[in-house]
PDB file of all heavy atoms in Angstrom:
ATOM      1  N   LEU W  43      96.915  87.755 102.476  1.00 92.00           N
ATOM      2  CA  LEU W  43      98.025  86.928 101.984  1.00 92.00           C
ATOM      3  C   LEU W  43      98.576  87.486 100.689  1.00 92.00           C
ATOM      4  O   LEU W  43      97.822  87.736  99.729  1.00 92.00           O
ATOM      5  CB  LEU W  43      97.556  85.498 101.744  1.00 92.00           C
ATOM      6  CG  LEU W  43      96.840  84.772 102.870  1.00 92.00           C
ATOM      7  CD1 LEU W  43      96.477  83.354 102.466  1.00 92.00           C
ATOM      8  CD2 LEU W  43      97.699  84.723 104.119  1.00 92.00           C
ATOM      9  N   LYS W  44      99.898  87.690 100.641  1.00 92.00           N
ATOM     10  CA  LYS W  44     100.562  88.195  99.471  1.00 92.00           C
ATOM     11  C   LYS W  44     101.843  87.453  99.228  1.00 92.00           C
ATOM     12  O   LYS W  44     102.657  87.168 100.177  1.00 92.00           O
ATOM     13  CB  LYS W  44     100.924  89.713  99.598  1.00 92.00           C
ATOM     14  CG  LYS W  44      99.708  90.597  99.741  1.00 92.00           C
ATOM     15  CD  LYS W  44     100.173  92.013  99.916  1.00 92.00           C
ATOM     16  CE  LYS W  44      99.062  93.003 100.105  1.00 92.00           C
ATOM     17  NZ  LYS W  44      99.513  94.421 100.288  1.00 92.00           N
ATOM     18  N   GLY W  45     102.114  87.073  97.948  1.00 93.00           N
ATOM     19  CA  GLY W  45     103.350  86.395  97.627  1.00 93.00           C
ATOM     20  C   GLY W  45     103.120  84.931  97.254  1.00 93.00           C
ATOM     21  O   GLY W  45     102.075  84.520  96.804  1.00 93.00           O
ATOM     22  N   ASN W  46     104.193  84.150  97.479  1.00 95.00           N
ATOM     23  CA  ASN W  46     104.159  82.772  97.018  1.00 95.00           C
ATOM     24  C   ASN W  46     103.803  81.823  98.141  1.00 95.00           C
ATOM     25  O   ASN W  46     104.382  81.846  99.214  1.00 95.00           O
ATOM     26  CB  ASN W  46     105.597  82.395  96.485  1.00 95.00           C
ATOM     27  CG  ASN W  46     105.947  83.251  95.279  1.00 95.00           C
ATOM     28  OD1 ASN W  46     105.443  83.114  94.216  1.00 95.00           O
ATOM     29  ND2 ASN W  46     106.879  84.209  95.522  1.00 95.00           N
ATOM     30  N   PHE W  47     102.858  80.921  97.843  1.00 95.00           N
ATOM     31  CA  PHE W  47     102.349  79.946  98.833  1.00 95.00           C
ATOM     32  C   PHE W  47     102.139  78.629  98.101  1.00 95.00           C
ATOM     33  O   PHE W  47     102.007  78.505  96.898  1.00 95.00           O
ATOM     34  CB  PHE W  47     100.996  80.414  99.369  1.00 95.00           C
ATOM     35  CG  PHE W  47     101.085  81.671 100.203  1.00 95.00           C
ATOM     36  CD1 PHE W  47     101.148  82.884  99.627  1.00 95.00           C
ATOM     37  CD2 PHE W  47     101.080  81.576 101.615  1.00 95.00           C
ATOM     38  CE1 PHE W  47     101.182  84.073 100.367  1.00 95.00           C
ATOM     39  CE2 PHE W  47     101.118  82.733 102.364  1.00 95.00           C
ATOM     40  CZ  PHE W  47     101.187  83.997 101.771  1.00 95.00           C
ATOM     41  N   LYS W  48     102.157  77.563  98.905  1.00 94.00           N
ATOM     42  CA  LYS W  48     101.854  76.240  98.436  1.00 94.00           C
ATOM     43  C   LYS W  48     100.436  75.907  98.848  1.00 94.00           C
ATOM     44  O   LYS W  48     100.073  75.938 100.000  1.00 94.00           O
ATOM     45  CB  LYS W  48     102.854  75.192  98.972  1.00 94.00           C
ATOM     46  CG  LYS W  48     102.642  73.815  98.386  1.00 94.00           C
ATOM     47  CD  LYS W  48     103.681  72.843  98.924  1.00 94.00           C
ATOM     48  CE  LYS W  48     103.468  71.461  98.310  1.00 94.00           C
ATOM     49  NZ  LYS W  48     104.440  70.437  98.852  1.00 94.00           N
ATOM     50  N   LEU W  49      99.589  75.550  97.827  1.00 95.00           N
ATOM     51  CA  LEU W  49      98.167  75.282  98.113  1.00 95.00           C
ATOM     52  C   LEU W  49      97.886  73.803  97.845  1.00 95.00           C
ATOM     53  O   LEU W  49      98.499  73.153  97.043  1.00 95.00           O
ATOM     54  CB  LEU W  49      97.262  76.125  97.234  1.00 95.00           C
ATOM     55  CG  LEU W  49      97.477  77.647  97.274  1.00 95.00           C
ATOM     56  CD1 LEU W  49      96.456  78.324  96.410  1.00 95.00           C
ATOM     57  CD2 LEU W  49      97.437  78.142  98.655  1.00 95.00           C
ATOM     58  N   GLU W  50      96.885  73.318  98.579  1.00 92.00           N
ATOM     59  CA  GLU W  50      96.381  71.971  98.357  1.00 92.00           C
ATOM     60  C   GLU W  50      95.849  71.835  96.926  1.00 92.00           C
ATOM     61  O   GLU W  50      95.157  72.779  96.477  1.00 92.00           O
ATOM     62  CB  GLU W  50      95.329  71.615  99.393  1.00 92.00           C
ATOM     63  CG  GLU W  50      94.830  70.144  99.324  1.00 92.00           C
ATOM     64  CD  GLU W  50      93.862  69.869 100.451  1.00 92.00           C
ATOM     65  OE1 GLU W  50      93.210  70.825 100.904  1.00 92.00           O
ATOM     66  OE2 GLU W  50      93.696  68.662 100.764  1.00 92.00           O
ATOM     67  N   TYR W  51      96.185  70.759  96.246  1.00 89.00           N
ATOM     68  CA  TYR W  51      95.792  70.499  94.868  1.00 89.00           C
ATOM     69  C   TYR W  51      96.517  71.345  93.819  1.00 89.00           C
ATOM     70  O   TYR W  51      96.981  70.814  92.834  1.00 89.00           O
ATOM     71  CB  TYR W  51      94.250  70.667  94.698  1.00 89.00           C
ATOM     72  CG  TYR W  51      93.435  69.914  95.664  1.00 89.00           C
ATOM     73  CD1 TYR W  51      92.471  70.581  96.433  1.00 89.00           C
ATOM     74  CD2 TYR W  51      93.597  68.536  95.821  1.00 89.00           C
ATOM     75  CE1 TYR W  51      91.670  69.890  97.349  1.00 89.00           C
ATOM     76  CE2 TYR W  51      92.837  67.854  96.713  1.00 89.00           C
ATOM     77  CZ  TYR W  51      91.868  68.511  97.526  1.00 89.00           C
ATOM     78  OH  TYR W  51      91.084  67.835  98.410  1.00 89.00           O
ATOM     79  N   LEU W  52      96.625  72.636  94.033  1.00 91.00           N
ATOM     80  CA  LEU W  52      97.233  73.498  93.048  1.00 91.00           C
ATOM     81  C   LEU W  52      98.756  73.477  93.138  1.00 91.00           C
ATOM     82  O   LEU W  52      99.390  73.756  92.141  1.00 91.00           O
ATOM     83  CB  LEU W  52      96.752  74.978  93.269  1.00 91.00           C
ATOM     84  CG  LEU W  52      95.388  75.334  92.693  1.00 91.00           C
ATOM     85  CD1 LEU W  52      95.073  76.791  92.937  1.00 91.00           C
ATOM     86  CD2 LEU W  52      95.282  74.985  91.219  1.00 91.00           C
ATOM     87  N   GLY W  53      99.302  73.246  94.283  1.00 92.00           N
ATOM     88  CA  GLY W  53     100.764  73.328  94.433  1.00 92.00           C
ATOM     89  C   GLY W  53     101.174  74.790  94.584  1.00 92.00           C
ATOM     90  O   GLY W  53     100.504  75.596  95.263  1.00 92.00           O
ATOM     91  N   GLN W  54     102.308  75.212  93.962  1.00 94.00           N
ATOM     92  CA  GLN W  54     102.768  76.532  94.097  1.00 94.00           C
ATOM     93  C   GLN W  54     101.810  77.566  93.362  1.00 94.00           C
ATOM     94  O   GLN W  54     101.364  77.294  92.285  1.00 94.00           O
ATOM     95  CB  GLN W  54     104.194  76.744  93.508  1.00 94.00           C
ATOM     96  CG  GLN W  54     105.233  75.974  94.289  1.00 94.00           C
ATOM     97  CD  GLN W  54     105.476  76.667  95.685  1.00 94.00           C
ATOM     98  OE1 GLN W  54     105.304  77.817  95.843  1.00 94.00           O
ATOM     99  NE2 GLN W  54     105.755  75.804  96.681  1.00 94.00           N
ATOM    100  N   ALA W  55     101.483  78.623  94.140  1.00 95.00           N
ATOM    101  CA  ALA W  55     100.608  79.654  93.570  1.00 95.00           C
ATOM    102  C   ALA W  55     101.039  80.978  94.114  1.00 95.00           C
ATOM    103  O   ALA W  55     101.689  81.094  95.126  1.00 95.00           O
ATOM    104  CB  ALA W  55      99.153  79.340  93.853  1.00 95.00           C
ATOM    105  N   LYS W  56     100.686  82.063  93.440  1.00 96.00           N
ATOM    106  CA  LYS W  56     100.912  83.419  93.930  1.00 96.00           C
ATOM    107  C   LYS W  56      99.562  84.010  94.339  1.00 96.00           C
ATOM    108  O   LYS W  56      98.592  84.022  93.565  1.00 96.00           O
ATOM    109  CB  LYS W  56     101.594  84.274  92.856  1.00 96.00           C
ATOM    110  CG  LYS W  56     102.299  85.487  93.431  1.00 96.00           C
ATOM    111  CD  LYS W  56     103.340  85.999  92.460  1.00 96.00           C
ATOM    112  CE  LYS W  56     104.163  87.130  93.137  1.00 96.00           C
ATOM    113  NZ  LYS W  56     105.213  87.668  92.278  1.00 96.00           N
ATOM    114  N   LEU W  57      99.527  84.552  95.529  1.00 96.00           N
ATOM    115  CA  LEU W  57      98.288  85.057  96.090  1.00 96.00           C
ATOM    116  C   LEU W  57      98.362  86.603  96.329  1.00 96.00           C
ATOM    117  O   LEU W  57      99.383  87.079  96.819  1.00 96.00           O
ATOM    118  CB  LEU W  57      97.969  84.332  97.370  1.00 96.00           C
ATOM    119  CG  LEU W  57      97.973  82.841  97.420  1.00 96.00           C
ATOM    120  CD1 LEU W  57      97.519  82.318  98.798  1.00 96.00           C
ATOM    121  CD2 LEU W  57      97.019  82.284  96.330  1.00 96.00           C
ATOM    122  N   PHE W  58      97.267  87.197  96.037  1.00 95.00           N
ATOM    123  CA  PHE W  58      97.085  88.666  96.434  1.00 95.00           C
ATOM    124  C   PHE W  58      95.632  88.735  96.910  1.00 95.00           C
ATOM    125  O   PHE W  58      94.780  89.318  96.238  1.00 95.00           O
ATOM    126  CB  PHE W  58      97.294  89.546  95.219  1.00 95.00           C
ATOM    127  CG  PHE W  58      98.684  89.486  94.650  1.00 95.00           C
ATOM    128  CD1 PHE W  58      98.996  88.579  93.604  1.00 95.00           C
ATOM    129  CD2 PHE W  58      99.700  90.307  95.110  1.00 95.00           C
ATOM    130  CE1 PHE W  58     100.253  88.467  93.119  1.00 95.00           C
ATOM    131  CE2 PHE W  58     100.971  90.210  94.606  1.00 95.00           C
ATOM    132  CZ  PHE W  58     101.238  89.290  93.559  1.00 95.00           C
ATOM    133  N   ILE W  59      95.408  88.185  98.094  1.00 95.00           N
ATOM    134  CA  ILE W  59      93.985  88.040  98.520  1.00 95.00           C
ATOM    135  C   ILE W  59      93.778  88.444  99.961  1.00 95.00           C
ATOM    136  O   ILE W  59      94.700  88.418 100.796  1.00 95.00           O
ATOM    137  CB  ILE W  59      93.517  86.579  98.384  1.00 95.00           C
ATOM    138  CG1 ILE W  59      94.317  85.661  99.263  1.00 95.00           C
ATOM    139  CG2 ILE W  59      93.612  86.176  96.928  1.00 95.00           C
ATOM    140  CD1 ILE W  59      93.723  84.234  99.392  1.00 95.00           C
ATOM    141  N   ASP W  60      92.570  88.827 100.271  1.00 91.00           N
ATOM    142  CA  ASP W  60      92.049  88.875 101.627  1.00 91.00           C
ATOM    143  C   ASP W  60      91.134  87.624 101.696  1.00 91.00           C
ATOM    144  O   ASP W  60      90.018  87.622 101.134  1.00 91.00           O
ATOM    145  CB  ASP W  60      91.280  90.146 101.822  1.00 91.00           C
ATOM    146  CG  ASP W  60      90.683  90.241 103.243  1.00 91.00           C
ATOM    147  OD1 ASP W  60      90.660  89.231 103.997  1.00 91.00           O
ATOM    148  OD2 ASP W  60      90.191  91.311 103.607  1.00 91.00           O
ATOM    149  N   ARG W  61      91.600  86.585 102.349  1.00 89.00           N
ATOM    150  CA  ARG W  61      90.857  85.336 102.325  1.00 89.00           C
ATOM    151  C   ARG W  61      89.562  85.372 103.102  1.00 89.00           C
ATOM    152  O   ARG W  61      88.775  84.380 103.098  1.00 89.00           O
ATOM    153  CB  ARG W  61      91.695  84.170 102.756  1.00 89.00           C
ATOM    154  CG  ARG W  61      92.307  84.192 104.135  1.00 89.00           C
ATOM    155  CD  ARG W  61      93.070  82.946 104.367  1.00 89.00           C
ATOM    156  NE  ARG W  61      93.911  83.049 105.586  1.00 89.00           N
ATOM    157  CZ  ARG W  61      94.757  82.081 105.998  1.00 89.00           C
ATOM    158  NH1 ARG W  61      94.848  80.974 105.259  1.00 89.00           N
ATOM    159  NH2 ARG W  61      95.461  82.244 107.070  1.00 89.00           N
ATOM    160  N   SER W  62      89.288  86.455 103.825  1.00 87.00           N
ATOM    161  CA  SER W  62      87.995  86.620 104.498  1.00 87.00           C
ATOM    162  C   SER W  62      86.928  87.201 103.556  1.00 87.00           C
ATOM    163  O   SER W  62      85.768  87.269 103.924  1.00 87.00           O
ATOM    164  CB  SER W  62      88.169  87.509 105.699  1.00 87.00           C
ATOM    165  OG  SER W  62      88.396  88.881 105.329  1.00 87.00           O
ATOM    166  N   GLN W  63      87.340  87.559 102.356  1.00 90.00           N
ATOM    167  CA  GLN W  63      86.439  88.197 101.376  1.00 90.00           C
ATOM    168  C   GLN W  63      86.380  87.358 100.115  1.00 90.00           C
ATOM    169  O   GLN W  63      87.287  87.349  99.274  1.00 90.00           O
ATOM    170  CB  GLN W  63      86.907  89.607 100.994  1.00 90.00           C
ATOM    171  CG  GLN W  63      86.945  90.586 102.204  1.00 90.00           C
ATOM    172  CD  GLN W  63      85.602  90.939 102.699  1.00 90.00           C
ATOM    173  OE1 GLN W  63      84.599  90.902 101.959  1.00 90.00           O
ATOM    174  NE2 GLN W  63      85.508  91.344 103.949  1.00 90.00           N
ATOM    175  N   SER W  64      85.266  86.607  99.899  1.00 93.00           N
ATOM    176  CA  SER W  64      85.086  85.887  98.677  1.00 93.00           C
ATOM    177  C   SER W  64      84.224  86.786  97.724  1.00 93.00           C
ATOM    178  O   SER W  64      83.595  87.715  98.175  1.00 93.00           O
ATOM    179  CB  SER W  64      84.384  84.553  98.933  1.00 93.00           C
ATOM    180  OG  SER W  64      83.094  84.793  99.482  1.00 93.00           O
ATOM    181  N   PRO W  65      84.324  86.518  96.405  1.00 96.00           N
ATOM    182  CA  PRO W  65      84.973  85.376  95.717  1.00 96.00           C
ATOM    183  C   PRO W  65      86.378  85.683  95.397  1.00 96.00           C
ATOM    184  O   PRO W  65      86.930  86.754  95.821  1.00 96.00           O
ATOM    185  CB  PRO W  65      84.159  85.285  94.442  1.00 96.00           C
ATOM    186  CG  PRO W  65      83.676  86.679  94.172  1.00 96.00           C
ATOM    187  CD  PRO W  65      83.456  87.285  95.509  1.00 96.00           C
ATOM    188  N   PHE W  66      87.040  84.751  94.646  1.00 97.00           N
ATOM    189  CA  PHE W  66      88.416  84.870  94.280  1.00 97.00           C
ATOM    190  C   PHE W  66      88.551  84.655  92.795  1.00 97.00           C
ATOM    191  O   PHE W  66      87.906  83.820  92.174  1.00 97.00           O
ATOM    192  CB  PHE W  66      89.247  83.874  95.027  1.00 97.00           C
ATOM    193  CG  PHE W  66      89.046  83.883  96.514  1.00 97.00           C
ATOM    194  CD1 PHE W  66      88.107  83.090  97.159  1.00 97.00           C
ATOM    195  CD2 PHE W  66      89.828  84.773  97.347  1.00 97.00           C
ATOM    196  CE1 PHE W  66      87.910  83.114  98.501  1.00 97.00           C
ATOM    197  CE2 PHE W  66      89.670  84.790  98.692  1.00 97.00           C
ATOM    198  CZ  PHE W  66      88.693  84.000  99.334  1.00 97.00           C
ATOM    199  N   ILE W  67      89.428  85.462  92.164  1.00 96.00           N
ATOM    200  CA  ILE W  67      89.701  85.306  90.773  1.00 96.00           C
ATOM    201  C   ILE W  67      90.924  84.456  90.532  1.00 96.00           C
ATOM    202  O   ILE W  67      92.022  84.743  91.071  1.00 96.00           O
ATOM    203  CB  ILE W  67      89.957  86.705  90.121  1.00 96.00           C
ATOM    204  CG1 ILE W  67      88.658  87.579  90.318  1.00 96.00           C
ATOM    205  CG2 ILE W  67      90.257  86.562  88.625  1.00 96.00           C
ATOM    206  CD1 ILE W  67      88.873  89.034  89.884  1.00 96.00           C
ATOM    207  N   PHE W  68      90.781  83.378  89.753  1.00 97.00           N
ATOM    208  CA  PHE W  68      91.888  82.495  89.500  1.00 97.00           C
ATOM    209  C   PHE W  68      92.426  82.809  88.056  1.00 97.00           C
ATOM    210  O   PHE W  68      91.737  82.725  87.096  1.00 97.00           O
ATOM    211  CB  PHE W  68      91.448  81.075  89.513  1.00 97.00           C
ATOM    212  CG  PHE W  68      91.170  80.500  90.905  1.00 97.00           C
ATOM    213  CD1 PHE W  68      90.180  81.022  91.695  1.00 97.00           C
ATOM    214  CD2 PHE W  68      91.987  79.493  91.434  1.00 97.00           C
ATOM    215  CE1 PHE W  68      89.959  80.556  92.984  1.00 97.00           C
ATOM    216  CE2 PHE W  68      91.809  79.017  92.680  1.00 97.00           C
ATOM    217  CZ  PHE W  68      90.764  79.555  93.492  1.00 97.00           C
ATOM    218  N   ILE W  69      93.716  83.136  87.998  1.00 96.00           N
ATOM    219  CA  ILE W  69      94.374  83.436  86.734  1.00 96.00           C
ATOM    220  C   ILE W  69      95.490  82.392  86.494  1.00 96.00           C
ATOM    221  O   ILE W  69      96.312  82.198  87.378  1.00 96.00           O
ATOM    222  CB  ILE W  69      94.957  84.833  86.747  1.00 96.00           C
ATOM    223  CG1 ILE W  69      93.946  85.893  87.084  1.00 96.00           C
ATOM    224  CG2 ILE W  69      95.659  85.161  85.422  1.00 96.00           C
ATOM    225  CD1 ILE W  69      94.552  87.270  87.454  1.00 96.00           C
ATOM    226  N   TYR W  70      95.394  81.698  85.370  1.00 95.00           N
ATOM    227  CA  TYR W  70      96.413  80.688  85.061  1.00 95.00           C
ATOM    228  C   TYR W  70      97.272  81.189  83.912  1.00 95.00           C
ATOM    229  O   TYR W  70      96.777  81.359  82.776  1.00 95.00           O
ATOM    230  CB  TYR W  70      95.719  79.362  84.682  1.00 95.00           C
ATOM    231  CG  TYR W  70      94.935  78.795  85.846  1.00 95.00           C
ATOM    232  CD1 TYR W  70      93.601  79.074  85.968  1.00 95.00           C
ATOM    233  CD2 TYR W  70      95.520  77.944  86.763  1.00 95.00           C
ATOM    234  CE1 TYR W  70      92.805  78.578  86.975  1.00 95.00           C
ATOM    235  CE2 TYR W  70      94.778  77.358  87.827  1.00 95.00           C
ATOM    236  CZ  TYR W  70      93.442  77.758  87.931  1.00 95.00           C
ATOM    237  OH  TYR W  70      92.696  77.205  88.978  1.00 95.00           O
ATOM    238  N   ALA W  71      98.522  81.465  84.206  1.00 91.00           N
ATOM    239  CA  ALA W  71      99.432  81.989  83.189  1.00 91.00           C
ATOM    240  C   ALA W  71     100.798  81.331  83.313  1.00 91.00           C
ATOM    241  O   ALA W  71     101.379  81.195  84.376  1.00 91.00           O
ATOM    242  CB  ALA W  71      99.640  83.481  83.399  1.00 91.00           C
ATOM    243  N   ASP W  72     101.298  80.824  82.158  1.00 84.00           N
ATOM    244  CA  ASP W  72     102.612  80.165  82.135  1.00 84.00           C
ATOM    245  C   ASP W  72     102.687  79.008  83.127  1.00 84.00           C
ATOM    246  O   ASP W  72     103.712  78.773  83.800  1.00 84.00           O
ATOM    247  CB  ASP W  72     103.745  81.136  82.373  1.00 84.00           C
ATOM    248  CG  ASP W  72     103.883  82.191  81.274  1.00 84.00           C
ATOM    249  OD1 ASP W  72     103.552  81.812  80.078  1.00 84.00           O
ATOM    250  OD2 ASP W  72     104.216  83.331  81.595  1.00 84.00           O
ATOM    251  N   GLY W  73     101.595  78.288  83.289  1.00 85.00           N
ATOM    252  CA  GLY W  73     101.539  77.144  84.135  1.00 85.00           C
ATOM    253  C   GLY W  73     101.490  77.415  85.624  1.00 85.00           C
ATOM    254  O   GLY W  73     101.632  76.531  86.500  1.00 85.00           O
ATOM    255  N   THR W  74     101.315  78.720  85.951  1.00 89.00           N
ATOM    256  CA  THR W  74     101.249  79.119  87.366  1.00 89.00           C
ATOM    257  C   THR W  74      99.862  79.708  87.690  1.00 89.00           C
ATOM    258  O   THR W  74      99.303  80.456  86.881  1.00 89.00           O
ATOM    259  CB  THR W  74     102.319  80.183  87.677  1.00 89.00           C
ATOM    260  OG1 THR W  74     103.580  79.621  87.384  1.00 89.00           O
ATOM    261  CG2 THR W  74     102.261  80.568  89.143  1.00 89.00           C
ATOM    262  N   ALA W  75      99.346  79.406  88.870  1.00 95.00           N
ATOM    263  CA  ALA W  75      98.080  79.962  89.325  1.00 95.00           C
ATOM    264  C   ALA W  75      98.338  81.259  90.082  1.00 95.00           C
ATOM    265  O   ALA W  75      99.171  81.308  91.025  1.00 95.00           O
ATOM    266  CB  ALA W  75      97.312  78.976  90.195  1.00 95.00           C
ATOM    267  N   ILE W  76      97.634  82.304  89.751  1.00 96.00           N
ATOM    268  CA  ILE W  76      97.653  83.574  90.481  1.00 96.00           C
ATOM    269  C   ILE W  76      96.247  83.825  90.964  1.00 96.00           C
ATOM    270  O   ILE W  76      95.308  83.906  90.088  1.00 96.00           O
ATOM    271  CB  ILE W  76      98.162  84.723  89.547  1.00 96.00           C
ATOM    272  CG1 ILE W  76      99.586  84.363  89.000  1.00 96.00           C
ATOM    273  CG2 ILE W  76      98.259  86.036  90.309  1.00 96.00           C
ATOM    274  CD1 ILE W  76      99.994  85.205  87.839  1.00 96.00           C
ATOM    275  N   ILE W  77      96.052  84.038  92.213  1.00 97.00           N
ATOM    276  CA  ILE W  77      94.758  84.225  92.757  1.00 97.00           C
ATOM    277  C   ILE W  77      94.676  85.596  93.371  1.00 97.00           C
ATOM    278  O   ILE W  77      95.554  86.007  94.189  1.00 97.00           O
ATOM    279  CB  ILE W  77      94.415  83.157  93.848  1.00 97.00           C
ATOM    280  CG1 ILE W  77      94.646  81.738  93.246  1.00 97.00           C
ATOM    281  CG2 ILE W  77      92.987  83.317  94.333  1.00 97.00           C
ATOM    282  CD1 ILE W  77      94.453  80.662  94.261  1.00 97.00           C
ATOM    283  N   ILE W  78      93.615  86.371  93.001  1.00 96.00           N
ATOM    284  CA  ILE W  78      93.473  87.772  93.486  1.00 96.00           C
ATOM    285  C   ILE W  78      92.033  87.991  93.949  1.00 96.00           C
ATOM    286  O   ILE W  78      91.098  87.230  93.540  1.00 96.00           O
ATOM    287  CB  ILE W  78      93.878  88.777  92.426  1.00 96.00           C
ATOM    288  CG1 ILE W  78      92.867  88.746  91.273  1.00 96.00           C
ATOM    289  CG2 ILE W  78      95.281  88.541  91.879  1.00 96.00           C
ATOM    290  CD1 ILE W  78      93.086  89.859  90.215  1.00 96.00           C
ATOM    291  N   ASN W  79      91.853  89.011  94.709  1.00 96.00           N
ATOM    292  CA  ASN W  79      90.509  89.573  94.962  1.00 96.00           C
ATOM    293  C   ASN W  79      90.616  91.000  95.406  1.00 96.00           C
ATOM    294  O   ASN W  79      91.735  91.529  95.665  1.00 96.00           O
ATOM    295  CB  ASN W  79      89.698  88.646  95.931  1.00 96.00           C
ATOM    296  CG  ASN W  79      90.176  88.748  97.349  1.00 96.00           C
ATOM    297  OD1 ASN W  79      91.225  89.327  97.682  1.00 96.00           O
ATOM    298  ND2 ASN W  79      89.443  88.119  98.251  1.00 96.00           N
TER     299      ASN W  79
END
């Protein structure tokens, strides 16, 4: 998953992840969540 997505609880977030591979790094900047792994 890459780009902008709407997530449960978090709302709008930007993802750069392979969701089959945990863990995930949560970065909060300027009120936006960016999740990477």
Side-chain angles (χ1 to χ4, degrees):
L43 306 182
K44 295 180 182 179
N46 299 288
F47 294 79
K48 184 177 181 181
L49 306 185
E50 187 176 21
Y51 307 125
L52 280 182
Q54 289 295 326
K56 199 160 186 179
L57 308 182
F58 298 91
I59 63 169
D60 180 347
R61 58 178 168 184
S62 68
Q63 299 290 334
S64 63
F66 306 92
I67 300 172
F68 285 67
I69 304 168
Y70 298 91
D72 294 328
T74 301
I76 302 164
I77 307 175
I78 67 174
N79 71 353

